[in-house]
Amino acid sequence: MLVLRALGLGDLLTGVPALRGLRRAFPDYELVLAAPEQLREVAAEIDAVDSLLPADAPDRGVPSLLHWSKPAPAVAVDLHGNGPESRLALAELRPWRLLASTDPQLTADPPWRAEDHERVRWCRLLAAYRIAADPDDVRLPRPERSPAPGAVVVHPGANAPARRWPVERYAEVVRGLLAALPGRPVVLSGGPGEEPLVRELAGLLPPLPVYCGLPFREFAGLVGQASLLIGTDSGPAHLAVAYGTPSVTLFGPVAPEIWGPPPNGPHRVVYHPGPPGDANGAVPDPCLLDIGADEVLKEALKAAEGAR
């Protein structure tokens, strides 16, 4: 079975419920995930995935899968998008069976709805093929080691400027946390290439530990063993959901109803509704900029109290 979801970390983690549904429906199949090479270690942590086929395209596009060297897949599944391109990329491999939201046979109850949560969307697709999947089945085993166990992790980065909250406001939140929670360690984190952003934030604060560009397993441990993660709607926020780490996530332009955490976990969201925006835009989204540092600090203190 070949499953296409060649997107980012958060996208992969929101696809876990669907991947597990496929594993239960096809227990004897090798499940190969077509995804970017940099997600190999993440995919290895997902009990539904057997191996990874490196696949990537710029700007969240549809990659070619013609480097697939095995016989035609028995089953191919499009968890990548709603356009015809991703279905055609899989169809080129001539699978025996192809599951996709653009399947012309799925006319009675179209499985793609713009208002669906991302986890629900793919579980509904499988349901159209009589495959059960639970959209809240997101948890992964928590890592046992961390470079800063029990810390409050502040992660100012995101893979698009539209979802980056101003560092000055993060600095206000951190100063409030340090004053309100003496003795609670607070650290700053960043992904590969986010060193300048994290250095800018660090320059506005008293000396704090900084963890930037960690290998995945170390970063996973940092998030998994944190007492709280604070950041915007990005991969680390979804990693916190997967590990059950309390979190405060700032949303905009995409609403938490589409990409937010399950309602039954230790997670808080901050969001000011507004006009639809581009989640991959080149400037911070107005909905995100409407969020004040006082709001985030208030939610963070509530979450930190609950994590004690």
Side-chain angles (χ1 to χ4, degrees), residues 260-283:
N264 56 352
H267 311 290
R268 297 175 178 269
V269 301
V270 187
Y271 175 59
H272 287 231
D278 180 5
N280 299 297
V283 295

Side-chain angles (χ1 to χ4, degrees), residues 34-177:
E37 173 63 34
Q38 60 265 32
L39 296 180
R40 181 177 294 276
E41 288 187 287
V42 187
E45 299 296 319
I46 301 172
D47 49 8
V49 175
D50 293 308
S51 60
L52 183 134
L53 174 72
D56 201 358
D59 301 322
R60 299 173 65 84
V62 177
S64 169
L65 301 174
L66 294 179
H67 56 298
W68 172 266
S69 59
K70 300 183 180 184
V75 180
V77 186
D78 182 6
L79 299 184
H80 189 87
N82 189 37
E85 296 87 355
S86 49
R87 184 176 186 274
L88 289 172
L90 288 165
E92 284 186 302
L93 303 181
R94 300 186 180 278
W96 295 357
R97 186 180 182 193
L98 176 53
L99 314 185
S101 59
T102 51
D103 187 340
Q105 298 182 29
L106 301 179
T107 55
D109 184 19
W112 182 282
R113 296 175 181 171
E115 67 273 17
D116 276 345
H117 192 286
E118 185 71 6
R119 294 189 307 274
V120 173
R121 184 189 318 284
W122 302 113
C123 292
R124 287 189 69 251
L125 169 64
L126 298 189
Y129 291 99
R130 303 182 184 276
I131 297 172
D134 177 1
D136 289 339
D137 185 14
V138 297
R139 293 292 295 272
L140 297 179
R142 182 178 294 206
E144 296 181 356
R145 295 187 177 186
S146 165
V152 175
V153 178
V154 179
H155 190 94
N159 63 6
R163 287 176 281 120
R164 291 179 196 152
W165 200 49
V167 292
E168 296 82 3
R169 299 187 200 180
Y170 275 113
E172 288 185 55
V173 173
V174 173
R175 285 192 289 265
L177 288 171

Side-chain angles (χ1 to χ4, degrees), residues 186 223 230:
V186 178
V223 174
I230 302 173

Side-chain angles (χ1 to χ4, degrees), residues 9 13 41-43 45 140-150 153 155 189-190 211 213-227 229 235-236 238-245:
L9 172 60
L13 294 172
E41 288 187 287
V42 187
E45 299 296 319
L140 297 179
R142 182 178 294 206
E144 296 181 356
R145 295 187 177 186
S146 165
V153 178
H155 190 94
S189 72
Y211 299 95
L214 292 176
F216 171 73
R217 292 189 184 280
E218 290 184 42
F219 183 72
L222 181 68
V223 174
Q225 291 293 332
S227 61
L229 175 78
H238 294 281
L239 201 58
V241 170
Y243 293 142
T245 298

Side-chain angles (χ1 to χ4, degrees), residues 196-210:
L197 178 68
V198 179
R199 281 200 301 267
E200 182 182 357
L201 175 56
L204 301 173
L205 295 166
L208 293 174
V210 173

